[in-house]
């Protein structure tokens, strides 16, 4: 479908709203792709029952309490455990042998949303015997999502899919060993997040915080425009150790990025890249 | 009257009347008692066929009267009582029949009405049937109802989005002001809608509404307004204008049909809506189709593009493969070239060596000849004198034959003497011992002298001898007359000697460039072309046989050439065999004593022509007394470019420095020149040259001291230094790390050699890797893995062996297994780090054991790279080692840089201070430690908030040093920086402890949060060292 041309009023309203959020709270959405922003703002507008985005802007400015909710609308938080099982299989079979040569490891899940990705990696690392020496960083801009990620509670009806994904990713132990189900929900074992740090971090404005060996940032860049994508990939590049790994979503690629030269394709089909060593 | 009563048949009425009258008459005529009244039932029965329910009752009453009259007026007979009873019974029967008739007719009417309504409904439903658009539906309904109810006009309103719109009208005149739309509650119609019930308006007032035909107008009498509903929702309203009064049946009918009309309207509406939706769907489907088509096209385009991309990628890959191939070939060729180069260099060196030997020999020869001729001349002299004495025969006791002998001895002796003199001259010249004594030489007198000498000789051989001076020739020369004369004499005597007939001409003329040419032309045997060069060589003549015929030593021309060159001139020969020869001697008009045109056979380290010192920098020389010696040469320091290597020359002798400067340029180096030790060190630190040429005898300090300092400084220790000294220092210099040593005086070739050696050192350094591994098999395999043409591997199987190896050899990189038989890797590293001043090479830990966080932390102090053995570890090891070996040597591992920094950049504010760094990122810990420790601070490390609190607790105990300042990261495991800072501030004794938060976040709110949590200040990552230091200085308690 060709995107519907933005009505100028809409465009102005979106711009003003984003500017308001940026100035008031410091969340910068200017680099996000317009088409998806428009869809998500329409949802938010309906949710907050505002007749127009200008009214929504008014509310956001006056009622800081609704910001977290609005943020969870603006950031896409749909993920599954072991989403794209082949990606995780590739990590398991191709990347882990390299990671095993480091005495301690750091993994950064950029844009971790509600934590599915991070738990998947934690489970995978436990199964591969790396968990004890690994520290996971899960970062997102939405405090609400981070709270959910910290809780690690998912609805029980998603477990069937999770279990199948886990199995297809090469999981060795039944997924049920990692969670306790009750009252229609499943809570993942606390031990999985013992090695995890959840933190508020924006790929738009913040900088590198640690040297890491693996960055998993899946289906985040698609919501960014090119300049912002470049910035984010630059952060990953600066964070990664020489020969460190970067995993992207199935529709994302570094091919057109300004930093493409700093990486080589490691598992091209699963969008796993390796940072080149500076020789 | 209702519309269900049929027109009464007059005959029926007549029959009723007739039968009643007949019965009455008959009753009057017959006496009472006869039950004639029974026939009164006939009219009543007849009334059953009538349509009015009242008639039987009226008839009953009438007949009652008639019966009473008949009773009263009939002739009385029989039993009266009986008659009364009879008549009463008759009356009862009559009323019963009348009542039955009445009920019958009523029922008949009701049935008819029902039928009417039902047929109306049926017909209406027929009208409603089918898919009709709204307005047509309205028209049809209205038309039908108007006809069925006999209405004269009507209008039909349907509900739409807002209110009700007139969809159809019946017989409404065009000019009437019937509204197009109405709202609920508006007027009667609106009220009907609102209330959902019908209204009947009887006896419409005058002027209310008129219906017209072509011929006239009339007004309806009654109005009927009724809403239509669907599911009890009013969705239309109907107004009919009637001329006849409104019957209940009308309302009944409308009540009945309202629902079905409503439903029909609704379904029509729905249908319309459906149709619209359907149309919309169609339109969208079409649009979708278009878009999917577009999509398909763009998809195809994309596919095409990706195909093209793939193709070009394939092509690129191919090209890359080819390139790689070419590259390989090229590097192979380069390697070969290099080898050839090496061979060449070697051959050249050999050649130079030989040349040197030759030169040496030739010098020995010259010396020897000079000495020898002297030694020869002394005895020869005496024998000549004695021979002459003998030949004089003063005592007169010799026979003429004996006198002849003595004369022969004398003549032979003279010949020998000439020969010796010639040899002596030649060797003198070759030994550079011939001096030129220039003076004014009048040309005319010179020629006169020559003429006087050669005229008789020529005359002896019947040859003509002429001298002539070309016009414009200067009259005098400024040169050494003896030498010039010797040359001319030699050539002239040769000319006369080799000329049998004809003439010998000496001509003097002026030549270009302030020179004078002497040409000696003869008509003798000439010299074959291939011998032109040979005849100037010593001891050679044009023909080996010539000697015998003409005599002579064959040295004459050689000497002549040497002499002419000594005078700054040249000698040339133009000749053809059998056609005479012309020797042309060209000398400068004024002998220039300042230059020696001859190529010195042995280059001396002193330039004959010293260039004036560079101007403009007189203040650069610290001591005026030394100005001449140390005045800086013009060098490249102002125009250094990054691309070329830089050589630093530390040499106080300006002329020699100049030679080195030129030579450096010739060999592709940029060159810096320093005249003093101090300047040299400064330049070395400032410019980090690629190579240093160092003189030992410097005005301010010994070159060896400079060498020592260069080698002690981590910034310069990698620079190869070549020492040049006038006295023997080579052993000391080499021991101190010089690449090579030369003794003055130095030959050019040696210098070139030295530069070459420096260059080789720069480009082709063999790197050394020490592998420390206790398992011999593993050790061997690692050495195989890492060794290559450029990489030499050393092995050590124990800590002791490792220490020994490190002492004995310089190692670029060390691979260390932590498990060793005699000591653990940890203690080995600690031992290495404690050996002060002797920085050890970068270490790569290669271990099979899993390391705890603490162990890793400990190792990180010594090693940047830790590899756990595993499937991919050899790959990574190779990678890391390659990386270490390729990094610029100046980029020393931080441990060494730290050592270096320690010596020069201690900071008073930080000296002796204890700083707690709370940070979990190894990279940052490393950076912070290497910035802070060299400045005199002690750094304690905590990896998270919890550890930070524990570290603070510990430091508060008396033996430990209290922490002066905390650098706090925010994002950390277990306890983050915010919490940690709040916890710290909660303790009263730490209220004042300065804390600087290090945050990766850019938002001002985060920074506010840092301050709120108790930080005194914050610094954004990535850390700016200068800023960090100034912040620390600000907050460090005094």
């Amino acid at each position: 479908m060709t995107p519907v041309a933005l009505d100028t009023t809409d465009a102005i309203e979106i711009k003003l709203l984003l500017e308001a959020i940026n100035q008031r709270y410091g969340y910068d959405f200017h680099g996000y792709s317009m088409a998806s922003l428009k869809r998500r703002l329409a949802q938010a507008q309906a949710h907050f029952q505002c007749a127009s985005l200008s009214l929504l802007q008014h509310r956001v400015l006056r009622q800081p309490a609704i910001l977290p909710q609005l943020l969870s609308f603006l950031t896409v938080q749909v993920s599954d455990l072991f989403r794209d099982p082949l990606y995780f299989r590739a990590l398991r079979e191709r990347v882990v042998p390299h990671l095993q040569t480091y005495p301690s490891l750091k993994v950064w899940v950029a844009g971790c949303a509600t934590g599915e990705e991070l738990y998947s990696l934690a489970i995978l690392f436990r199964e591969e015997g790396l968990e004890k020496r690994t520290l996971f960083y899960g970062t997102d801009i939405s405090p609400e999502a981070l709270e959910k990620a910290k809780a690690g509670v998912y609805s029980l009806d998603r477990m069937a899919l999770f279990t199948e994904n886990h199995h297809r990713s090469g999981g060795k132990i039944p997924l049920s060993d990692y969670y306790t189900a009750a009252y229609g929900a499943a809570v993942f074992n606390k031990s999985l997040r013992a090695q995890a740090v959840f933190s508020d971090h924006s790929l738009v404005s913040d900088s590198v915080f640690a040297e890491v060996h693996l960055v998993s940032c899946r289906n985040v860049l698609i919501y960014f425009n090119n300049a912002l994508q470049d910035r984010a990939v630059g952060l990953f590049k600066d964070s990664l150790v020489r020969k460190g790994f970067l995993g992207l979503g199935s529709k994302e690629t570094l091919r057109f990025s300004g930093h493409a030269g700093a990486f080589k394709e490691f598992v091209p089909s699963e969008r796993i890249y390796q940072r080149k060593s500076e020789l | 009257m209702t519309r269900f009563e049929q027109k009464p048949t007059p005959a029926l009425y007549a029959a009723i009347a007739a039968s009643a009258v007949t019965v009455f008459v008959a009753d009057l005529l017959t006496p009472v008692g006869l039950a004639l009244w029974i026939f009164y039932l006939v009219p009543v029965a007849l009334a059953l066929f009538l349509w009015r329910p009242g008639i039987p009752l009226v008839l009953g009453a009438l007949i009652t009267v008639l019966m009473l009259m008949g009773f009263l007026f009939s002739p009385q007979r029989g039993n009266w009582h009986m008659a009364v009873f009879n008549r009463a019974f008759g009356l009862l029967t009559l009323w019963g029949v009348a009542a039955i008739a009445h009920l019958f007719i009523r029922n008949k009417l009701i049935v008819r009405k029902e039928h009417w309504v039902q047929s109306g409904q049926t017909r209406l439903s027929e009208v409603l049937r089918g898919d009709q658009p709204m307005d047509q539906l309205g028209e049809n309904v209205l038309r039908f109802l108007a006809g069925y109810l006999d209405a004269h006009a009507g209008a039909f309103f349907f509900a739409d989005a807002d209110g009700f719109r007139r969809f159809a009208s019946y017989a409404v005149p065009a000019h009437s002001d019937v509204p197009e739309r109405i709202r609920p509650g508006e007027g009667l119609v609106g009220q009907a809608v609102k209330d959902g019930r019908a209204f009947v308006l009887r006896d419409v007032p005058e002027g209310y509404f008129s219906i017209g035909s072509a011929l006239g107008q009339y007004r309806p009498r009654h109005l009927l307004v009724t809403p239509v509903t669907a599911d009890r929702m009013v969705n239309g309203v109907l107004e009919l204008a009637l001329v006849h009064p409104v019957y209940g049946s009308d309302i009944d009918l409308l009540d009945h049909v309202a629902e079905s009309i409503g439903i029909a309207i609704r379904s029509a509406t729905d249908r319309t809506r459906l149709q619209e939706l359907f149309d919309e769907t169609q339109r969208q489907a079409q649009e979708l189709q278009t878009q999917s088509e577009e999509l398909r096209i763009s998809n195809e385009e994309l596919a095409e593009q990706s195909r093209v991309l793939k193709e070009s990628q394939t092509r690129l890959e191919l090209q890359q493969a080819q390139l790689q191939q070419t590259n390989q070939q090229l590097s192979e060729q380069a390697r070969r070239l290099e080898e050839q180069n090496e061979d060449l260099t070697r051959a050249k060196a050999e050649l130079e060596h030989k040349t040197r030997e030759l030169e040496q020999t030739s010098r020995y020869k010259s010396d020897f000849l000079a000495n020898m001729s002297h030694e020869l001349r002394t005895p020869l002299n005496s024998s000549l004198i004695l021979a002459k004495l003998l030949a004089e025969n003063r005592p007169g006791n010799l026979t003429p034959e004996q006198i002849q002998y003595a004369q022969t001895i004398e003549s032979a002796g003279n010949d020998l003497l000439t020969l010796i003199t010639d040899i002596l001259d030649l060797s003198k010249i070759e030994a550079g011992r011939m001096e030129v004594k220039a003076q004014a030489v009048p040309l005319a007198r010179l020629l006169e002298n020559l003429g006087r000498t050669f005229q008789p000789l020529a005359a002896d051989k019947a040859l003509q001898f002429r001298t002539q001076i070309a016009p414009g020739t200067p009259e005098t020369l400024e040169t050494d007359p003896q030498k010039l004369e010797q040359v001319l004499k030699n050539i002239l005597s040769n000319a006369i000697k080799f000329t049998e007939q004809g003439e010998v001409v000496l001509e003097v003329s002026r030549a270009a460039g302030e020179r004078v040419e002497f040409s000696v032309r003869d008509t003798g045997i000439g010299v074959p072309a291939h011998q032109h060069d040979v005849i100037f060589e010593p001891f050679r003549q044009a023909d080996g046989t010539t000697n015998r015929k003409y005599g002579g030593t064959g040295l004459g021309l050689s000497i002549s050439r040497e002499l002419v060159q000594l005078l700054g001139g040249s000698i040339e020969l133009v000749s053809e065999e059998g056609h005479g020869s012309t020797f042309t001697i060209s000398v400068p008009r004024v002998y220039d004593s300042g230059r020696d045109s001859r190529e010195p056979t042995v280059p001396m380290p002193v330039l004959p022509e010293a260039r004036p010192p560079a101007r403009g920098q007189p203040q650069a020389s610290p001591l005026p007394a030394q100005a001449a010696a140390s005045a800086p040469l013009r060098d490249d320091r102002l125009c250094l470019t990054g691309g070329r290597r830089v050589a630093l020359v530390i040499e106080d002798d300006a002329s020699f420095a100049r030679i080195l400067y030129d030579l450096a340029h010739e060999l592709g180096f940029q060159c810096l020149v320093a005249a003093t030790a101090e300047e040299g060190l400064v330049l070395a630190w400032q410019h980090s040259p690629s190579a240093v040429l160092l003189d030992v005898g410097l005005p301010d300090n010994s070159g060896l001291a400079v060498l020592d300092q260069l080698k002690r400084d981590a910034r310069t220790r990698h620079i190869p230094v070549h020492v040049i000294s006038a006295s023997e220092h080579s052993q000391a210099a080499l021991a101190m790390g010089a690449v090579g040593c030369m003794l003055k005086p130095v030959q050019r070739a040696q210098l070139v050699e030295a530069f070459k050696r420096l260059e080789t050192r720069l480009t082709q350094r063999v790197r050394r890797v020490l592998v420390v591994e206790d398992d011999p098999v593993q050790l061997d395999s690692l050495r195989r893995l890492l060794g290559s043409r450029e990489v030499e591997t050393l092995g050590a199987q124990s800590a002791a062996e490792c220490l020994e190896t490190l002492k004995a050899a310089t190692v670029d990189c060390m691979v260390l297994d932590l498990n060793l038989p005699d000591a653990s890797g940890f203690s080995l590293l600690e031992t290495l780090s404690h050996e002060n001043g002797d920085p050890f090479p970068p270490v790569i830990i290669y271990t099979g054991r899993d390391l705890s966080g603490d162990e890793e932390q400990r190792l990180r102090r010594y090693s940047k790279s830790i590899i756990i053995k595993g499937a991919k570890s050899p790959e990574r090891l190779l990678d890391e080692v390659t990386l270490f070996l390729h990094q610029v040597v100046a980029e020393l591992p931080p441990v060494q840089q730290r050592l270096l920094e320690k010596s020069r950049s201690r900071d008073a504010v930080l000296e002796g201070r204890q700083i707690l760094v709370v940070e979990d990122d190894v990279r940052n810990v490393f950076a912070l430690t290497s910035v802070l420790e060299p400045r005199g601070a002690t750094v304690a490390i905590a990896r998270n908030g919890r550890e930070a609190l524990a570290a603070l607790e510990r430091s508060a105990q008396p033996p430990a040093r209290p922490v002066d300042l905390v650098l706090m990261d925010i994002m950390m495991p277990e306890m983050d920086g915010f919490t940690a800072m709040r916890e710290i501030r909660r303790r009263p004794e730490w209220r004042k402890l300065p804390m600087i938060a290090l945050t990766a976040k850019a938002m001002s709110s985060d920074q506010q949060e840092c301050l709120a949590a108790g930080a005194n200040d914050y610094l954004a990552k990535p850390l700016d060292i200068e800023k960090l230091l100034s912040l620390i200085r600000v907050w460090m308690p005094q």
Side-chain angles (χ1 to χ4, degrees), chain B residues 8 35 129 211 233 279 284 286 308 367 413 446 458 468 584 599 617 667 761 768 904-905 973 1008:
Chain B
R129 202 179 307 151
I211 304 164
M233 286 280 293
D279 289 350
Q284 285 176 349
Q286 195 161 3
V308 171
D367 284 354
L446 178 70
Q468 61 187 54
T584 307
E599 187 84 1
Q617 295 176 301
L667 295 171
R761 186 60 178 259
R768 249 194 228 133
R904 32 184 69 251
S905 60
Q1008 290 309 317

Side-chain angles (χ1 to χ4, degrees), chain B residues 495-507:
Chain B
I496 291 170
K497 199 196 290 178
F498 293 111
T499 307
E500 299 301 329
Q501 58 182 26
E503 57 172 4
V504 174
V505 181
L506 169 61
E507 192 182 348

Side-chain angles (χ1 to χ4, degrees), chain A residues 1-2 25-27 94 97-98 100-104 106 129 133 135 137 139 194-197 199-202 205-213 238-240 242-243 255-256 275 277-279, chain B residues 288 291 294-295 309 313 850-851 856 860 865-873 875-876 879-880 882-883 886 919-924 969 971-974 999-1003 1005-1006 1020-1022:
Chain A
M1 294 278 275
T2 48
Y25 303 104
Y27 290 100
R94 304 281 307 276
H98 286 270
Q100 271 162 347
T101 67
Y102 293 91
S104 65
K106 288 189 183 174
R133 50 171 128 149
L135 188 60
Y137 290 96
T139 65
Q195 295 284 88
V197 178
S199 174
D200 173 16
H201 181 274
S202 162
S205 56
D206 298 338
S207 55
V208 172
F209 56 86
E211 184 178 43
V212 300
H213 301 83
D238 292 341
S239 293
L240 281 171
R242 278 179 287 108
K243 300 269 184 176
R255 188 169 297 155
F256 309 110
R275 195 186 147 194
S277 62
E278 308 129 317
L279 268 186
Chain B
L288 226 95
Q291 283 168 359
E294 280 166 10
L295 212 69
L309 211 70
Q313 207 173 347
D850 279 352
L851 297 170
E856 196 192 344
R860 287 286 178 196
S865 169
I866 302 177
I867 302 171
I868 309 289
K869 288 178 190 172
K872 292 290 178 186
S873 57
E875 195 178 307
R876 207 181 130 215
D879 233 44
E880 299 274 351
T882 318
L883 202 72
H886 277 77
E919 164 72 85
D920 70 320
D921 189 54
V922 181
R923 203 161 46 167
N924 284 334
D969 183 31
M971 268 175 78
M972 288 180 299
E974 295 191 41
T999 167
K1001 307 272 301 165
M1003 281 185 230
S1005 64
D1006 293 296
K1021 291 181 180 183

